[in-house]
Amino acid sequence: MAVTRRKQGMYGYVELTNPPVNAINRDMRQGLLDAVKWAEDEGLERVILSGAGRAFAAGADAKEFDGPPLEPHLPDVLNAIETSHVHWVAAIHGPALGGGAEIVLACRYRVAHPKALIGFPEVTLGVVPGAGGTQRLPRLVGMEQALALIPTGKPVSGVAAKQIGLVHEVDEDPVAFAEMTNSEWLGMAVPVGELNTGEAAPELFAAARATADQKMRGQIAPQRAIDLLELSMTADLAAGMAEERAAFLELRTQDQARALRHAFFAERGAKAPDWLTATPKDVASVAVVGGGTMGAAIAYAMLNAGLSVVLLETDADGVARARDNVEKIVAASLKRGLISEEGAADRRARLTLSHDYSDAGQVDLAIEAAFESMDVKKQIFAKLEAAVQAGAVLATNTSYLDVNEIASALQAPSRLVGLHFFAPAHIMKLLEIVRGDATSDEALATGFALAKTLRKIPVLAGVCDGFIGNRILARYREAADTVFMDGSTPWEVDEAMVEFGYAMGPYEAQDLSGLDIAHANRRRQDATRDPNRRYIPIADRMVELGKLGRKTGAGWYRYPGGNGKVEDPIVADLAIEEAHFAKITRTDYSADQIRHRLLLAMINEAAAILGEGIAQSAADIDLVTMSGYGFPRWRGGLMHYADTLGAKEVLAGLEALCAEDPLVWAPSQVVKDCAAKDIRFADWTPA
């Protein structure tokens, strides 16, 4: 049963029981409605409502997301709870999210564990609250707080909920507190729906809309949520809830909601493949080789997870630089309130910095995070293999290099796995786990276990140049450079992709990372580059001019005084010059044409990656592109977006572009297969 109930004296105890997180389904809604009648028939004084296990109720049951709404509907259930003659008391521990938080609002009295989590994340799934959240919350906590919670989807702790008036009390044992609550207090508690929202200045809504537009650009639901909150000031509860319900039902069937649900399920399903049954090594201590920006951030991610870390550098000066790099991250975390001074001291105590590899002799895992040079990495792994214990797993953080070649330098290549972190490594959620030809199942399983420890999203990748993400990124940049040379500017390309939903376009992003990084990678590929493939030399000329991006004050854009970017006519002239040298007649691309080319280029490359087995599924490619490369989450990731276009349309677009360059635009076999079979990329499987 999704709802259990029992009577003890004049008290009724109702418990939500749909493990693991008490998701709200039809059975639970019916059980709650039945419990309302039961409590009234029994003449109870109060009902104490709680959740079984580790949650109160963490939102709607995902199994019902794509089906039609089933009676009884949650708004009707909650209205019954709120208007009941029996006082319902919410005893909240763990998450009370979405519909779970709306249940809380319908109760007469609310008590929460200090670490409970109460929130309305509906906008992150492309919808708005559908059972009174936008109408009851401002009546309870005021409009300013409601605008801080609902359009952002951010939850609050039990302690914070007490501070803003969302719950009456906080206690370590909410059920026991609910039992002891004075009956007079319950009688004095007014149903939330009978409270007044009050007045809020137009500037408050304007600020909320600006924040939503900035942080959730292109998304419909946050703005609709703000509309509904504003409505609560003038509409009575019934009228406001009717408007809210209509908006909820409309939004849940739209593309954005489908895409965000897909992203949600893909992230929830990100785990080790079923065939990987090996027991991972228990990792309590980690060595990180390289104390630069990336290595220091990887080390800090390990410290955040409670692990002990040995950070290795080449000499004393390198150790000092590594210490400074870690301390910068500690200082930033302190400034943002992410850690306390005690937390900072604890992290420092678990960190050892050294240039002596023997200090890493007892670690369980060693991660190389050095410069992208095959020779350098082979030298490091020779030292690591000699220094660490025989059972330790070895990992490389390489972004592009051949994991198999790195492993060949080891006496035991089965120990090596690729762990490709994304910058900044202590913040970015994605972790590409690269399986080399010799990688043991234990090493691979250890990578997935580490991802869980670090709370990262793991994606299994095969060995190729750039793995999944950087290989797609390279094709994205190649297509952008071709458009730039043949008739556009970096800022026009960037603007087109920002309009699509990226936080920044490919050129501004490259200015952030540094043009020298991509330049070094191109030089590494010179010997193996197909001579028949068109090469765009503009970026090489940028490096020759010293225009390396933000760090030099100028890249594709200029950054005068270290402030915001400005367009640079010199850069635009470079494309005109190179087009002249190549005898190309430039054209004027529209924003739609730019997007068409760049997106088809990425989709085709991703389909090839899928066909080669580098990625295990289209959903894995979606995770990589969303979590590591800025593809708009509300479009569901690259391959989900491709499925909204349809394989036939993708194929037709590629075939049309083949007229200008049959080598670069040749459709992958996976695109052809999906078009011929009229199936989604998500449903494609190897023959």
Side-chain angles (χ1 to χ4, degrees):
M1 294 179 63
V3 174
T4 60
R5 64 193 191 214
R6 63 184 175 87
K7 177 183 176 183
Q8 185 172 329
M10 295 299 291
Y11 290 3
Y13 294 82
V14 174
E15 190 175 61
L16 308 175
T17 55
N18 184 20
V21 294
N22 300 326
I24 303 165
N25 59 14
R26 183 191 179 283
D27 289 344
M28 184 177 289
R29 295 193 299 273
Q30 186 62 58
L32 283 171
L33 199 57
D34 293 343
V36 173
K37 185 175 185 304
W38 164 77
E40 292 184 344
D41 290 346
E42 293 288 339
L44 299 177
E45 177 202 280
R46 72 185 67 178
V47 167
I48 299 172
L49 178 63
S50 62
R54 59 186 177 90
F56 180 81
D61 193 324
K63 298 184 184 72
E64 295 185 359
F65 277 7
D66 289 314
L70 301 173
E71 293 184 343
H73 304 307
L74 190 58
D76 299 327
V77 175
L78 302 192
N79 286 340
I81 289 174
E82 186 175 69
T83 58
S84 173
H85 299 301
V86 179
H87 295 160
W88 281 61
V89 183
I92 311 150
H93 75 286
L97 303 173
E102 289 177 304
I103 292 174
V104 168
L105 293 178
C107 291
R108 187 69 61 89
Y109 197 84
R110 297 162 293 281
V111 56
H113 187 279
K115 294 182 179 179
L117 206 61
I118 307 173
F120 304 84
E122 286 89 348
V123 295
T124 66
L125 291 173
V127 295
V128 294
T134 64
Q135 303 304 297
R136 287 192 175 98
L137 186 65
R139 286 174 160 84
L140 182 62
V141 302
M143 189 60 73
E144 184 173 359
Q145 293 296 339
L147 285 168
L149 294 178
I150 288 180
T152 65
K154 292 180 180 178
V156 292
S157 68
V159 171
K162 169 73 184 303
Q163 292 171 345
I164 66 174
L166 179 50
V167 300
H168 292 87
E169 292 294 345
V170 172
D171 194 83
E172 293 286 338
D173 189 341
V175 171
F177 192 95
E179 291 172 337
M180 295 184 295
T181 301
N182 189 297
S183 298
E184 291 185 13
W185 294 358
L186 292 184
M188 293 171 60
V190 179
V192 174
E194 295 181 9
L195 300 173
N196 292 319
T197 300
E199 294 291 329
E203 293 78 13
L204 197 63
F205 294 98
R209 292 186 192 284
T211 298
D213 186 55
Q214 178 187 8
K215 296 186 176 181
M216 305 177 85
R217 181 190 299 271
Q219 298 190 43
I220 301 168
Q223 299 291 348
R224 290 292 293 276
I226 295 169
D227 291 342
L228 290 164
L229 287 167
E230 193 169 14
L231 176 67
S232 73
M233 294 192 302
T234 56
D236 61 30
L237 183 66
M241 286 185 64
E243 288 284 340
E244 177 194 74
R245 185 68 176 175
F248 168 79
L249 293 175
E250 176 193 351
L251 290 171
R252 78 195 295 256
T253 63
Q254 294 185 355
D255 286 346
Q256 285 195 9
R258 290 193 181 97
L260 288 164
R261 287 198 295 271
H262 169 73
F264 171 79
F265 287 126
E267 287 177 352
R268 211 165 74 164
K271 57 183 175 56
D274 293 340
W275 54 261
L276 185 60
T277 57
T279 301
K281 185 166 185 62
D282 186 17
V283 175
S285 57
V286 178
V288 179
V289 183
T293 302
M294 176 59 82
I298 292 174
Y300 190 76
M302 304 294 166
L303 295 170
N304 275 347
L307 305 179
S308 297
V309 177
V310 179
L311 185 54
L312 295 170
E313 260 293 349
T314 54
D315 52 30
D317 288 342
V319 167
R321 287 192 298 271
R323 189 184 304 278
D324 288 344
N325 287 334
V326 173
E327 280 300 321
K328 287 177 184 175
I329 303 175
V330 171
S333 298
L334 283 167
K335 184 176 181 179
R336 294 178 60 194
L338 300 176
I339 61 173
S340 63
E341 288 290 353
E342 293 78 9
D346 174 62
R347 285 161 175 77
R348 294 185 184 108
R350 286 185 280 108
L351 175 64
T352 301
L353 293 107
S354 176
H355 54 82
D356 185 348
Y357 276 62
S358 65
D359 287 336
Q362 298 305 308
V363 300
D364 307 304
L365 169 69
I367 304 172
E368 167 274 316
F371 180 68
E372 286 286 82
S373 161
M374 183 62 73
D375 290 340
V376 168
K377 292 182 186 295
K378 286 182 176 179
Q379 292 169 16
I380 287 172
F381 278 108
K383 293 179 182 179
L384 279 175
E385 191 170 35
V388 302
Q389 58 183 332
V393 172
L394 304 178
T396 174
N397 179 54
T398 182
S399 303
Y400 291 96
L401 299 183
D402 188 337
V403 171
N404 292 327
E405 185 177 347
I406 296 172
S408 70
L410 295 170
Q411 293 180 12
S414 62
R415 300 173 71 179
L416 184 72
V417 63
L419 295 179
H420 180 208
F421 290 82
F422 288 75
H426 60 295
I427 295 174
M428 295 290 281
K429 290 290 188 182
L430 180 64
L431 180 63
E432 277 185 318
I433 301 178
V434 185
R435 184 191 190 194
D437 292 344
T439 302
S440 70
D441 283 1
E442 180 191 46
L444 201 62
T446 300
F448 278 96
L450 179 69
K452 185 175 182 179
T453 298
L454 299 179
R455 297 184 178 180
K456 293 193 179 293
I457 297 170
V459 174
L460 180 62
V463 176
C464 69
D465 198 298
F467 316 123
I468 299 172
N470 277 335
R471 180 168 155 184
I472 295 172
L473 176 64
R475 180 68 186 104
Y476 177 48
R477 287 178 172 173
E478 181 186 42
D481 285 349
T482 305
V483 166
F484 171 27
M485 180 164 164
D486 291 355
S488 192
T489 64
W491 31 99
E492 288 170 343
V493 173
D494 281 356
E495 185 178 352
M497 299 315 292
V498 168
E499 287 176 359
F500 179 76
Y502 277 87
M504 62 179 70
Y507 291 103
E508 185 180 0
Q510 198 171 149
D511 270 359
L512 198 59
S513 61
L515 274 67
D516 50 334
I517 295 174
H519 180 265
N521 193 49
R522 289 193 299 276
R523 298 292 73 80
R524 179 182 61 80
Q525 295 172 325
D526 283 343
T528 57
R529 183 177 292 109
D530 185 346
N532 296 313
R533 193 178 187 100
R534 185 180 175 193
Y535 184 77
I536 308 296
I538 302 174
D540 294 342
R541 291 190 60 185
M542 294 282 288
V543 174
E544 291 169 5
L545 292 170
K547 297 168 78 67
L548 305 183
R550 283 181 177 269
K551 59 189 173 187
T552 60
W556 298 110
Y557 298 86
R558 288 189 296 110
Y559 301 90
N563 297 320
K565 66 182 189 295
V566 296
E567 298 171 6
D568 188 346
I570 294 175
V571 173
D573 288 343
L574 286 177
I576 296 172
E577 285 182 14
E578 289 298 333
H580 174 72
F581 296 150
K583 295 181 172 56
I584 291 170
T585 301
R586 301 187 89 222
T587 187
D588 186 14
Y589 290 115
S590 68
D592 284 340
Q593 288 173 318
I594 292 170
R595 285 189 286 270
H596 176 72
R597 288 167 177 265
L598 270 59
L599 290 164
L600 282 187
M602 287 193 288
I603 291 167
N604 197 37
E605 192 68 26
I609 288 169
L610 187 60
E612 294 167 21
I614 302 301
Q616 304 301 299
S617 68
D620 279 355
I621 295 172
D622 289 334
L623 287 174
V624 169
T625 53
M626 286 187 297
S627 301
Y629 295 87
F631 196 92
R633 181 183 176 86
W634 53 271
R635 292 191 186 273
L638 179 63
M639 300 311 281
H640 180 86
Y641 173 72
D643 279 330
T644 66
L645 298 177
K648 290 181 178 179
E649 183 173 336
V650 170
L651 178 61
L654 291 169
E655 289 176 337
L657 290 168
C658 277
E660 63 184 56
D661 191 334
L663 176 63
V664 168
W665 293 107
S668 76
Q669 189 59 48
V670 170
V671 170
K672 294 178 182 177
D673 289 349
C674 289
K677 297 174 184 177
D678 197 19
I679 61 172
R680 301 184 307 156
F681 293 105
D683 297 327
W684 181 88
T685 55

